[in-house]
Structure formats: structure tokens, C-alpha cells
Amino acid sequence: MFHPMPRPEMTFDARDAQNADGFGDLPEWDLSDLYPDTDGEKITQDMAWLETECAAFANDYEGKLASLDAAGMLKCIQRYEQIQAISGRIMSFAGLRYYQNTTDTERAKFMSDMQGKITDFSTPLVFFSLELNRIDDDALNALLAANDDLARYTPIIEKTRAMKPYQLSDEMEKFLHDQSVVGATAWNRLFDETMASLTFIVGNDELNLEATLNLLSDPDRENREAATHALSAVFADNINLFARITNTLAKEKEIEDRWRGLPTPQAGRHLANHVEPEVVQALRDAVVAAYPKLSHRYYALKAKWLGLETMQTWDRNAPLPREDNTVVQWDDAKKMVMDAYGAFSPKMAEIAEPFFNKGWIDAGVKPGKAPGAFAHPTVTDVHPYVMLNYLGKQRDVMTLAHELGHGVHQVLAAGQGELLSSTPLTLAETASVFGEMLTFRKLLDNAPDQAARKILLAGKVEDMINTVVRQIAFYDFECKLHAARADGELTPDQINDIWMSVQGESLGPVFEFGDGYETFWAYIPHFIHSPFYVYAYAFGDGLVNALYAVYEEGGADFQDKYFEMLSAGGSKHHKELLAPFGLDASDPKFWDKGLSLISSMIDELEAMED
């Protein structure tokens, strides 16, 4: 659907700056490629142009779309695309500045002010998708057939018209657009700022969220347990607020979905992803059926390695005995990833290189900085920016490989232009997971002995379980939560119960769930920012596992087909993109291929025990 105000979807919170020492010279963002400052001539001119052009666009086209000829429709869409580019540039700049320090009130105010103004400017644009959807199919098809340049926009037009049955009146659509600033956007911000302000007492240390979560993979079991108790205590103290946010957003979504006539809470996400509900259901069912041979089997093996009969939740991410905890310097991490990318294709390494030397990566852990990692494409006439919170662990190297894969994908897709470059979430994880797999395989090939190979394999299996099993469990949690919310407001205890109902099923019988873990749904930002987003991770992992199997078969033109797929951005459906590789995600057996790869790695780990 055409969106009048782009907004990046990212994962936020704060990290503790004292953990950032000793990893080498970490790069920082240079945002001047977007704007040199917040009040200079360039951004001031762009804001003024945006206000004028939004009003002029509405004046020129509202009520007239159905009367345009092919050339007129092309000009209309191109003007609309330019509006998207300028508003996207402004909001990318405001958002990235904010994520560098979410506790800086000036940055928060600037982002909020920009969002509010652009929402006001773009309200007159709401008519565009509504009128486009009212054009008769035959008339629109005739326009597309008459002009090749216009026909290039067919994918985005089809995506918009997929929402046609769920479209409301012009007045209602404008109302929903206007009130979003004090609706979901405001609740999202409350969640972000609350999370950024939380502190956790672990021993004698006062930490914030990311530093505390980091302790869940600490070699010392007492530290992991202490961090878990600290997290559960603070979540419990704030659980009423998190339940209120969750209840409100779920109800707001239910109201809008009901007015639109969407058949399920998940339907909007599927439409946005341009993926059929039955494909997602086939993925979900395949993963749930595979729980016993994946997570249940692996965690039972891990319990044996740790010398435990039962595992506590704080043991799930424990490092393995004899795991190498040597700090990986930033330059070494860069070399590992770039060597893996270059071995696949010099072109991939060439695209990735500017991220390191042109200020496109912000890697350090700093006070107030958003947690986790992301790659944000900004707009197609600039370049992506990658955010990390680099702590020198091998997993951080994998995160660099992952986010850099996103960046490469976004650079390649930029050639499609502002409206067609954005990849559906189901395919957005393809290059990132593939980049991780390339790096992992490179490290595995260079493992000095079987013990090192075991550690690498186990780490990769854990990552894949987190990407596939955990994310499908999260998806089931959301499905159950939204279904239950339709019957009335949920108490914190009811949400806790829904959370626990998917945890035992997905993690397996080796786990014992102590008091406090029932609140751990509260800190997961995807539930707040992007309902039902999480299945995209499992989709991407399964797709890449199948894709990597094709690559290992050694086709001479694989790299060319791979870059062509990434360059397509959002201009093609997943069926069309995967066809050159002989793959079809709508085939239920497709998902079994990817899951079998994970299972085979667990087979190898079990064989090492014999």
C-alpha cells in the first residue's frame, strides 16, 4: 500500500557505555549525507518544499485520478514518489539521531516534531491510494499496457489494490492518519522511553537492559541467574504499564481491523508482506512439528554438556564449556566478514566496503543508544546505515555479518527507486541470513580442531533455534494474545499465562521455568512496534537454508542470480524471485528442507558424543 509517511521499524533500548572498551577503533555514523544539521538551509528547504508539494499534489489530483491518461498517471506517481523520498530522508535523519541517544530530550523532541509536521503535511495525500483503488480494473490495466514506464510500478499498484476490500471512507482514512501520532506512535514511544530508563541491580552493579541481557550468556552461572532475577524483578514492578501498552495497542488494532473487515489480526501483516496466509501457516506448522527434533533435542544435548539434569531459563544461552571467550577486536571482526563476503563474490565485498570507511556503521556501546542492531535503508538516493552494539563476542561478529547483508541488499535494491526498493519482510532477511551463513561456513572451514568445530556448530544451531523456533513461538504468542484480547482486556497474569503456554512447548521438557520468567514477554519490542513481524525471521532463515543448499550444489551462475534477486527489491513476488533457483516457498515441503539442515547439524553434534 502507498504510505504517505515512511517510518523505520527498528528495535530500541539503551546500553551501558562502560562495556564498550577494548574492541579497537569503533566507527560512528556520519549523518551529514542526509543533513548536516537540524536547522540548516537544506532541511529547512526540504520541509518547506514538502509542505507546499503535498498541498499542490492534492490540489492537482484529488478527485481526478480516474480521468488521467497513462502519461498523466505516470507523472502523478513520480511526484508521489518524490514526496516519499523527501519525507523519508527527513524522518531517517531524525530517527537515526534519536537512536544514537534515546535519552537526549532534544533528539526526542526533534524526531517527534518532524513526525508531527510530516503527518500534518501528508494528510492531504490520503486520497491517493483510496482513489487508485476505485479505478476500474480494465481501465487501470489499459493504462499500464499503454506505457512501459508506468507498467514498472505495477507491483506497488497491485500491493495497494490488495487492500481495496478493506478500504474505509476518505474521511475515516484521513482521521486514522491524523490520530496515529497520538495513537500507536505515542504508545510505541512510551514503551521505548520506559525501556531506555529502566535500571537493573545485579550484584553491586546498576545496569540497563542490554547490559543485563548480555549477562544471560555469561560463563558464570551465578551471574546468569542473578541477571535473570534482576530482569524479572524490574519487569514485575512495571508489568502493569507493559500490560496497559499491550492491551491498548492490541485493542486499537482490533478496532481498525474490524472496521476494515480484515479477517484475522495477522491479515494486515500478510498483505503488507505480499505473502499468502497459507504459506505462513505451512511455515508455522512445519516448525512446530519440528520442535522435538530441533530445540527439544538440542537443549537436552546442551544440558548434558553443562552437567545438568534440568536446565533453568538462565542456562538457555549459556556458553558451552571450553568455549573461546576471547574478545574479537573490531578489525578482526571486519576481516572475518569481509573475507567471507569476498570469497563468495568480490562484488559483495566491494559493496560492503564503504560501510566501514564512510561513516555508515555506528558500532560502539554508548549511554542512551538504542540496543540491538539494525540496518536502515534511509532513502534510495543516499545509502543505508547500520547500527550495532559491539561487545567483542563471536555472536557480535555474526551480527555484523547479518546487518551488513541487509546493507548490501538495500544498496542493490536502491536502483528500483523509492516505491519499489522496499523488500517485503518475508524476503528482507534473505541477504542478512545468507551473509551470516557465509561467515559461519568460513569460520567452520578454518576451525583448527573438532573441539572448535563443535563450539561453532553449537553456536550456529543456537542462533538458528533463536531465529526459527523462538520466533515462531513468539508468533504463536501474538496470535493467542490478539485472539484473547478480542474477548476483553487482559490482566498481566493472563498475558503471562499465554507467554508460558508457548515456552514449554517450544523449548522442551528439559527446562524448568522458575518464578519470574512469565514476565519476559514485556521487553520484546517487535510485539509493540511491528505486530506479527517475527515470522519473517523464520521465513528468512528457512529460505536461506534452502538457498544455501542450491549454492553448495555449485551452479556457475548462482552469484549472478543471487545479485539479480537482491536487486529486484520489492518489484517481484517471492515465487518469481525464487523460481530461478528451483525453489517454491508455497510448497509445504520447502520448509522441511531448511529445517532438515538444522537437524543435520544437531546430528553431527550428537555424533561427536559417541
Side-chain angles (χ1 to χ4, degrees):
M1 189 173 184
F2 289 102
H3 295 287
M5 185 179 63
R7 182 184 184 278
E9 291 182 338
M10 301 173 187
T11 304
F12 334 101
D13 209 317
R15 281 186 180 251
D16 192 341
Q18 66 189 8
N19 291 320
D21 299 333
F23 307 130
D25 188 15
L26 298 179
E28 295 187 350
W29 280 335
D30 176 4
L31 298 180
S32 63
D33 288 344
L34 291 166
Y35 293 102
D37 43 44
T38 58
D39 57 358
E41 182 179 1
K42 184 170 175 53
I43 195 169
T44 301
Q45 286 178 342
D46 279 356
M47 286 294 286
W49 178 89
L50 192 63
E51 182 176 18
T52 300
E53 178 60 10
C54 286
F57 183 89
N59 183 67
D60 291 343
Y61 293 114
E62 188 166 10
K64 304 169 188 174
L65 250 58
S67 65
L68 296 177
D69 61 13
M73 182 64 77
L74 174 63
K75 182 179 179 181
C76 173
I77 290 178
Q78 289 173 336
R79 283 180 63 180
Y80 187 90
E81 187 169 33
Q82 184 59 23
I83 290 172
Q84 298 299 292
I86 297 300
S87 59
R89 189 185 193 111
I90 293 167
M91 286 312 302
S92 292
F93 177 65
L96 292 173
R97 283 186 77 250
Y98 172 69
Y99 305 140
Q100 284 181 303
N101 187 353
T102 60
T103 57
D104 183 328
T105 56
E106 181 277 325
R107 293 176 187 235
K109 173 177 166 51
F110 179 74
M111 185 177 76
S112 179
D113 287 349
M114 292 299 100
Q115 187 133 34
K117 288 178 181 179
I118 291 176
T119 298
D120 291 342
F121 296 167
S122 58
T123 296
L125 306 182
V126 172
F127 81 91
F128 182 60
S129 60
L130 305 179
E131 284 195 28
L132 188 68
N133 284 349
R134 285 198 289 265
I135 297 175
D136 179 76
D137 287 345
D138 291 340
L140 185 58
N141 289 336
L143 292 179
L144 295 171
N147 188 304
D148 289 343
D149 290 334
L150 177 62
R152 198 176 74 81
Y153 291 97
T154 297
I156 194 71
I157 291 171
E158 288 179 345
K159 191 175 178 181
T160 299
R161 287 171 74 84
M163 288 297 296
K164 184 176 180 178
Y166 314 112
Q167 186 169 290
L168 300 175
S169 69
D170 292 15
E171 292 77 11
M172 182 62 77
E173 294 288 357
K174 289 178 180 179
F175 168 76
L176 290 173
H177 176 74
D178 279 351
Q179 70 85 40
S180 65
V181 178
V182 292
T185 299
W187 288 100
N188 282 195
R189 183 175 167 186
L190 175 62
F191 174 85
D192 297 340
E193 293 178 355
T194 301
M195 278 295 170
S197 69
L198 295 181
T199 57
F200 305 83
I201 305 301
V202 184
N204 296 321
D205 296 325
E206 184 176 300
L207 307 173
N208 42 15
L209 179 65
E210 199 65 32
T212 312
L213 291 172
N214 192 49
L215 287 174
L216 298 183
S217 57
D218 193 271
D220 189 324
R221 194 177 192 222
E222 290 186 1
N223 288 342
R224 299 197 304 271
E225 180 178 359
T228 300
H229 292 320
L231 289 163
S232 61
V234 174
F235 293 158
D237 287 345
N238 293 274
I239 203 66
N240 288 336
L241 174 59
F242 294 130
R244 168 64 52 223
I245 294 170
T246 300
N247 267 293
T248 302
L249 288 171
K251 184 61 178 177
E252 182 185 61
K253 186 178 190 310
E254 185 274 327
I255 292 170
E256 183 171 337
D257 286 353
R258 173 160 39 86
W259 275 74
R260 292 190 181 282
L262 286 160
T264 67
Q266 302 88 342
R269 177 62 66 189
H270 300 336
L271 286 165
N273 287 345
H274 203 38
V275 65
E276 301 78 10
E278 57 270 21
V279 172
V280 178
Q281 190 64 39
L283 164 64
R284 181 265 172 200
D285 291 347
V287 173
V288 171
Y291 284 169
K293 71 175 183 179
L294 300 182
S295 48
H296 296 189
R297 187 160 61 115
Y298 173 74
Y299 287 129
L301 194 57
K302 183 170 185 175
K304 181 180 176 182
W305 294 335
L306 296 175
L308 301 170
E309 289 188 12
T310 59
M311 289 175 69
Q312 301 296 327
T313 54
W314 54 80
D315 297 316
R316 186 173 62 83
N317 288 322
L320 299 183
R322 297 194 299 164
E323 185 167 328
D324 184 0
N325 290 308
T326 304
V327 168
V328 181
Q329 295 296 308
W330 175 254
D331 286 344
D332 294 332
K334 173 186 173 182
K335 186 176 187 307
M336 290 178 194
V337 175
M338 290 295 284
D339 284 352
Y341 276 31
F344 173 74
S345 168
K347 178 179 178 179
M348 183 178 280
E350 182 182 339
I351 296 170
E353 182 64 36
F355 283 84
F356 293 96
N357 55 37
K358 290 191 175 181
W360 299 4
I361 297 178
D362 197 303
V365 178
K366 291 168 279 193
K369 183 178 176 181
F374 61 72
H376 180 38
T378 69
V379 286
T380 54
D381 61 351
V382 186
H383 55 76
Y385 283 91
V386 164
M387 194 197 81
L388 306 170
N389 278 278
Y390 190 78
L391 291 168
K393 294 186 175 183
Q394 186 168 287
R395 188 160 289 175
D396 293 326
V397 179
M398 291 295 114
T399 300
L400 171 61
H402 181 102
E403 300 304 337
L404 202 59
H406 276 308
V408 168
H409 193 172
Q410 291 159 358
V411 169
L412 287 166
Q416 294 291 337
E418 205 61 39
L419 293 178
L420 290 169
S421 61
S422 180
T423 307
L425 291 180
T426 44
L427 293 172
E429 295 298 324
T430 304
S432 54
V433 179
F434 196 85
E436 267 193 273
M437 183 66 82
L438 291 172
T439 305
F440 164 72
R441 290 293 184 182
K442 188 78 171 175
L443 294 174
L444 195 64
D445 290 344
N446 294 332
D449 52 41
Q450 180 153 304
R453 183 178 178 86
K454 175 181 176 180
I455 295 297
L456 284 166
L457 272 173
K460 185 59 176 173
V461 168
E462 291 204 10
D463 285 344
M464 294 168 100
I465 286 174
N466 283 334
T467 304
V468 177
V469 170
R470 291 282 286 168
Q471 301 305 321
I472 289 300
F474 288 174
Y475 177 67
D476 275 358
F477 166 75
E478 288 191 273
C479 290
K480 290 182 177 183
L481 183 141
H482 283 263
R485 181 63 180 91
D487 294 330
E489 181 161 320
L490 300 173
T491 66
D493 285 343
Q494 287 176 307
I495 302 176
N496 293 347
D497 288 344
I498 295 170
W499 172 254
M500 293 307 299
S501 74
V502 302
Q503 294 304 303
E505 179 188 22
S506 62
L507 296 178
V510 75
F511 276 95
E512 185 174 281
F513 297 96
D515 291 342
Y517 187 68
E518 68 276 4
T519 63
F520 272 50
W521 57 269
Y523 80 93
I524 298 171
H526 292 90
F527 300 156
I528 303 301
H529 292 286
S530 310
F532 305 107
Y533 177 106
V534 289
Y535 73 74
Y537 291 115
F539 195 109
D541 199 89
L543 188 154
V544 166
N545 289 343
L547 197 62
Y548 199 86
V550 176
Y551 168 56
E552 286 189 315
E553 292 169 4
D557 60 347
F558 181 90
Q559 280 85 344
D560 290 340
K561 290 191 289 189
Y562 180 74
F563 288 126
E564 187 176 344
M565 176 179 68
L566 299 188
S567 298
S571 67
K572 295 181 180 179
H573 188 267
H574 62 78
K575 260 186 174 303
E576 193 177 355
L577 289 172
L578 293 176
F581 303 96
L583 299 173
D584 181 2
S586 64
D587 180 356
K589 295 178 182 178
F590 171 84
W591 301 111
D592 293 332
K593 294 178 183 177
L595 297 173
S596 294
L597 176 65
I598 307 174
S599 184
S600 69
M601 290 183 177
I602 301 173
D603 290 342
E604 184 175 347
L605 288 169
E606 286 182 332
M608 291 179 181
E609 299 299 297
D610 296 337

